[in-house]
Amino acid sequence: MTTTIKVLPKGQITLPRKLRTALRINEGDTLLLEQTKDAVVLRKGKTIHDFLGALPSKGRTVAEMREIAAGAVAKERAQGLR
């Protein structure tokens, strides 16, 4: 898909709805901007929600898994400081 968009005075652009829908880009999503020799590549960034289901969650919510992960990191840091 090729489309023309305009850069606004503050450097902002608007992604066309058709493109956002096709790539499942929603408000609050992270996009990665990569500069190549003569182009700019825009990609959808990954979040924790993109990995849901990749590992067994044992019925836990995302918030619970984050809490467990944060506790594990804190424990590793504490052991490393000894």
Side-chain angles (χ1 to χ4, degrees):
M1 172 195 288
T2 300
T3 187
T4 301
I5 57 176
K6 187 175 184 177
V7 178
L8 300 177
K10 293 184 178 181
Q12 298 168 321
I13 62 171
T14 299
L15 299 176
R17 178 177 289 157
K18 193 173 186 179
L19 178 68
R20 294 189 320 261
T21 301
L23 296 175
R24 293 188 227 143
I25 296 172
N26 299 304
E27 182 178 344
D29 283 349
T30 300
L31 301 176
L32 304 173
L33 187 68
E34 178 185 343
Q35 178 183 348
T36 64
K37 184 177 178 182
D38 59 351
V40 172
V41 178
L42 188 63
R43 299 172 206 249
K44 183 176 178 184
K46 299 238 182 241
T47 68
I48 191 169
H49 298 286
D50 294 312
F51 298 99
L52 289 177
L55 297 172
S57 64
K58 297 182 183 177
R60 296 182 181 116
T61 66
V62 172
E64 290 169 330
M65 289 188 289
R66 281 185 179 153
E67 188 175 321
I68 291 167
V73 169
K75 184 177 178 180
E76 286 179 9
R77 288 183 180 167
Q79 290 174 348
L81 295 176
R82 289 182 180 170

